[in-house]
Amino acid sequence: MSTSAEDLRAKLQRLAGFLKRDPANPSLASDVAQLHTRLGEFAEAESALVAALAKQPADARLRSQLATNYIAANQPEKAIELLQSLLASGEAHPTLRYNLAYALLFARRPEEARDQLLAALDQPETPPQTRLLLARALHHCGDLEEAEKQISAYLKDHPEEAEALGVAALIRLDAGGTEGAKKNAESALRGDPDNLGGLVTLGMLSLSDQNQAAAEDYFLRATKRHPTSGRAWSGMGLAALQGLDLDRALESLKRAVQHMPDHIGTWHSLAWCQILKSDLAGAQQSFDRAMALDRNFGETHGGLAVVHILQGKPEIAEPEVRRALRLNPQAFSGRFAQSLLLQKSDPEKAKAIVQGIMSSSAVEGGEKLQEMLQRAMKRSSTFRPQS
């Protein structure tokens, strides 16, 4: 049975009174801090733990709890520093390594999280969720094959766990396993109607099926229940963009990159939304951000070429087109930019062509913009700059 906030508050007041009379009691301080954390009072929890640590500086349990509070307070870097110091001091409980990996993943450092989890995976007393978190980390690293292995192994022992099913749905969606992703997503939502992976997966599949209303419903539910999820806002923005609701698309996509700045597909959606709104400077900045994440994605070079053509700079666009088509001869953006160059379109004529590009192909029989953006959304969320 869940405990109400009023009950937690009453218990907190009672324990705080005991702690005032016995300020050197680390167990009381821990209990008080835990209640503050549960109530979302992270600063108060930190104060209680710091005061206790001033009296018991070597207390590993209090230091670990402080790290957990930092994670809950959206301060993963502080948690990482504290947990690393605990491990360096000789504390070796697998939960510490798990919490460190969680904080590293939260801080968008998935490779380091993966390495911590691999080291802890087969140790005694390792939390059972370690394999699930490893699947998440591998997914963020772009290693979909290994992520699939880990999530499949976890689901063998936890076949009805909604959280795991949602993770599996996203991994399989990004790997192109449409049927498996849909099945996992539906199962996840039966177990938890607010499951993020399930909502985002079914939203993206609805977009692929041209079911705009269903897609928007899934993404609306996702953003309401998970307002800091970049992937939910990214899906909402893509749905609005496909519906040519450019103002809502722009707002959603800007929120998406705020929460998920390492996701190439979202920067592409934002850039194309800015192109359609004639904000060429903004579009160039968005493509530049995508380029910093991965210099070898042909769609980024092609997108920049389109921007340069619209700016009346075909001499800058031409080498970008060549790079785009060298990296991917079928790249939507590269072929579209090439068609504009071949027509020797002036910027004004090119703008008119671009305005009708959402539902038409760049070239006869080619991919549509909305199809390319859906494909780009499946790019790994954590590409590193390449030399």
Side-chain angles (χ1 to χ4, degrees):
M1 185 173 64
S2 61
T3 305
S4 69
E6 292 80 5
D7 291 338
L8 292 175
R9 180 73 59 195
K11 186 176 181 180
L12 173 60
Q13 290 175 346
R14 185 171 68 256
L15 292 181
F18 295 152
L19 182 61
K20 193 172 183 179
R21 293 193 292 273
D22 187 9
N25 188 321
S27 294
L28 274 176
S30 174
D31 290 344
V32 166
Q34 184 180 55
L35 288 167
H36 277 304
T37 300
R38 290 180 66 184
L39 288 164
E41 298 168 353
F42 306 119
E44 290 82 354
E46 180 182 2
S47 295
L49 290 166
V50 168
L53 283 166
K55 300 177 178 65
Q56 305 278 347
D59 192 315
R61 185 168 67 96
L62 292 175
R63 292 165 69 192
S64 177
Q65 185 177 348
L66 180 58
T68 302
N69 183 69
Y70 283 141
I71 293 172
N74 195 19
Q75 299 180 67
E77 296 295 346
K78 285 187 175 182
I80 291 166
E81 182 180 1
L82 192 51
L83 289 164
Q84 286 176 333
S85 71
L86 276 166
L87 289 167
S89 69
E91 295 292 336
H93 196 282
T95 299
L96 292 177
R97 199 174 292 278
Y98 176 89
N99 288 343
L100 174 58
Y102 188 95
L104 286 165
L105 192 56
F106 195 6
R108 295 193 292 273
R109 294 161 61 178
E111 292 90 351
E112 295 172 75
R114 173 200 60 200
D115 293 345
Q116 291 291 335
L117 292 162
L118 286 171
L121 193 59
D122 296 320
Q123 291 183 6
E125 299 184 73
T126 294
Q129 297 84 5
T130 299
R131 196 177 297 277
L132 176 60
L133 190 62
L134 177 58
R136 288 182 185 272
L138 290 162
H139 185 198
H140 283 287
C141 290
D143 190 346
L144 295 176
E145 183 177 350
E146 192 59 35
E148 170 64 33
K149 290 179 183 177
Q150 295 298 336
I151 195 61
S152 294
Y154 186 82
L155 283 171
K156 284 183 181 178
D157 296 327
H158 308 84
E160 297 181 1
E161 184 180 307
E163 181 183 1
L165 288 163
V167 172
L170 286 175
I171 291 170
R172 289 161 182 169
L173 173 73
D174 289 350
T178 303
E179 288 303 317
K182 182 179 181 181
K183 181 180 178 181
N184 290 147
E186 290 172 343
S187 297
L189 292 178
R190 281 196 294 271
D192 173 12
D194 297 325
N195 181 270
L196 177 62
L199 291 170
V200 169
T201 297
L202 292 182
M204 291 301 296
L205 292 175
S206 296
L207 281 181
S208 297
D209 293 339
Q210 303 298 312
N211 191 338
Q212 187 82 14
E216 291 187 1
D217 179 67
Y218 283 123
F219 290 127
L220 181 62
R221 288 166 59 188
T223 53
K224 281 185 175 180
R225 298 301 300 169
H226 306 276
T228 62
S229 168
R231 189 125 189 197
W233 284 111
S234 184
M236 175 68 84
L238 183 57
L241 181 58
Q242 290 189 192
L244 292 177
D245 187 345
L246 299 183
D247 290 336
R248 188 158 63 95
L250 186 67
E251 178 185 358
S252 297
L253 291 166
K254 284 184 173 180
R255 293 186 72 167
V257 295
Q258 177 185 352
H259 295 298
M260 192 170 58
D262 298 332
H263 193 262
I264 291 174
T266 303
W267 284 111
H268 275 257
S269 291
L270 177 58
W272 278 98
C273 182
Q274 291 163 323
I275 287 174
L276 292 171
K277 287 181 68 65
S278 300
D279 178 10
L280 299 181
Q284 183 170 347
Q285 289 175 0
S286 296
F287 280 128
D288 284 343
R289 290 295 300 269
M291 186 75 74
L293 294 168
D294 182 7
R295 297 182 183 279
N296 293 321
F297 188 30
E299 295 293 355
T300 306
H301 293 281
L304 280 169
V306 172
V307 171
H308 293 316
I309 291 168
L310 294 174
Q311 291 171 331
K313 302 174 182 177
E315 70 284 357
I316 301 177
E318 287 177 3
E320 291 288 5
V321 171
R322 288 196 294 271
R323 292 188 194 98
L325 296 177
R326 185 176 69 249
L327 289 166
N328 178 8
Q330 302 304 314
F332 166 87
S333 301
R335 297 179 76 190
F336 182 46
Q338 184 182 51
S339 71
L340 293 179
L341 287 172
L342 290 173
Q343 295 176 45
K344 295 183 168 50
S345 300
D346 60 47
E348 291 305 315
K349 185 177 180 182
K351 287 178 185 177
I353 295 172
V354 166
Q355 290 301 316
I357 198 62
M358 178 57 76
S359 59
S360 61
S361 301
V363 294
E364 186 67 27
E367 191 177 41
K368 296 182 175 67
L369 173 59
Q370 61 190 35
E371 294 168 343
M372 182 277 288
L373 292 176
Q374 290 173 20
R375 175 168 53 82
M377 283 293 181
K378 297 177 183 179
R379 296 286 287 186
S380 168
S381 60
T382 50
F383 283 93
R384 292 289 178 260
Q386 300 179 20
S387 57

